[in-house]
Amino acid sequence: MEIKSDIEIVTGVLGSGKTSLINALLNVNLIPKEKVLILQEETGGREIEKRFRQNSNIIIRNISAEEPLTKEYFKYLVNLHHPHRVIIEMDGTKNLEEMLKILNGSEMKKVSKISTIYYVAEAQNFENYLKNKDSFLIPLLTYSNLILLTKCVLLRKGQWENIKLAIEDINPKAFMLRADSMGSIERVLQESHLIDRGILKKLRFKLNKILCI
């Protein structure tokens, strides 16, 4: 029996903290022998941590304009590596709805399923983006399960509450987290208790291995 790969999408503009979030996710909830496929459509100043790059169970692929992430290429990668989990670091200029059409297609649903969509943004510029109701930001917020604002130490008094209210008006179901710095993202994730990293995940992982035998 084939087990579907869980897909996590990380989106946001270049430099907002997407790779930092991926490193934090791996630090918080990677379990032994879990195979993870990371697809990076763009890379900023940070890299996936060296110890993850040296982990044979973590496969990192750079997605380029010459070889974009089409449904055929995605299916090929999943069938090639058979990951338990796929993390897609999206190009912040690309349309999330187009990516969802690819991943939610009937062929893709046979090999994978979307579990979480993360949106990452620098807090200081976020309010200005929100003022434009026709902004590219609206679809990103609408589909996201978890919204992480970084560099919140730079916010003025009362700004965080204004941002929270604006986001709740667009997507009241999304969880919101704030990190004062890039270095505090992992601690914020741990303290939120939103990331699946406990015994239930380990039990599901073992069950999946049994079913695949």
Side-chain angles (χ1 to χ4, degrees):
M1 178 178 178
E2 188 70 24
I3 299 302
K4 294 181 181 181
S5 303
D6 283 320
I7 302 173
E8 299 172 29
I9 300 173
V10 180
T11 186
V13 299
L14 186 66
S16 59
K18 290 181 293 185
T19 307
S20 295
L21 173 59
I22 292 171
N23 282 323
L25 288 169
L26 293 174
N27 276 312
V28 168
N29 75 343
L30 181 69
I31 62 176
K33 298 184 180 179
E34 181 181 17
K35 184 177 281 190
V36 182
L37 174 62
I38 301 174
L39 306 177
Q40 292 185 290
E41 287 194 324
E42 65 178 6
T43 54
R46 293 178 184 265
E47 292 184 330
I48 302 298
E49 289 180 14
K50 185 177 180 180
R51 67 190 184 94
F52 296 131
R53 287 186 275 120
Q54 293 176 338
N55 185 332
S56 60
N57 282 323
I58 296 179
I59 304 101
I60 302 172
R61 288 290 191 106
N62 291 318
I63 305 300
S64 64
E66 291 74 30
E67 195 169 23
L69 192 60
T70 61
K71 65 179 181 180
E72 292 81 10
Y73 188 38
F74 179 81
K75 191 173 180 180
Y76 164 76
L77 290 173
V78 170
N79 287 331
L80 176 65
H81 298 292
H82 299 285
H84 302 101
R85 178 180 177 192
V86 181
I87 301 176
I88 302 174
E89 182 173 355
M90 271 191 65
D91 179 341
T93 64
K94 290 198 174 174
N95 189 323
L96 175 60
E97 291 175 315
E98 290 301 317
M99 176 68 75
L100 295 179
K101 284 180 184 177
I102 291 173
L103 299 177
N104 283 325
S106 56
E107 288 184 45
M108 297 301 99
K109 285 185 175 181
K110 294 176 183 177
V111 297
S112 61
K113 61 183 184 298
I114 299 172
S115 62
T116 313
I117 300 173
Y118 302 91
Y119 176 73
V120 190
E122 286 190 8
Q124 197 174 25
N125 302 319
F126 193 72
E127 207 169 10
N128 289 331
Y129 293 145
L130 279 174
K131 288 176 182 177
N132 181 4
K133 289 298 182 183
D134 295 323
S135 167
F136 69 94
L137 191 59
I138 305 305
L140 300 178
L141 296 177
T142 300
Y143 290 108
S144 294
N145 307 111
L146 193 151
I147 297 164
L148 172 68
L149 296 190
T150 59
K151 300 182 181 179
C152 288
V153 71
L154 301 174
L155 290 177
R156 300 184 305 275
K157 185 178 179 180
Q159 215 173 348
W160 171 249
E161 292 303 320
N162 291 338
I163 290 172
K164 278 182 65 178
L165 290 172
I167 292 175
E168 286 171 357
D169 187 50
I170 298 167
N171 184 352
K173 294 182 179 179
F175 291 99
M176 282 175 274
L177 296 178
R178 55 178 292 173
D180 284 341
S181 65
M182 297 298 185
S184 66
I185 292 175
E186 184 179 336
R187 175 181 57 78
V188 168
L189 289 180
Q190 289 175 329
E191 292 177 353
S192 73
H193 302 294
L194 294 173
I195 306 302
D196 185 2
R197 62 192 182 99
I199 189 66
L200 290 178
K201 180 179 180 182
K202 293 177 182 177
L203 287 172
R204 284 198 301 274
F205 180 76
K206 288 182 180 179
L207 178 61
N208 285 352
K209 288 183 70 177
I210 291 168
L211 291 174
C212 283
I213 293 175

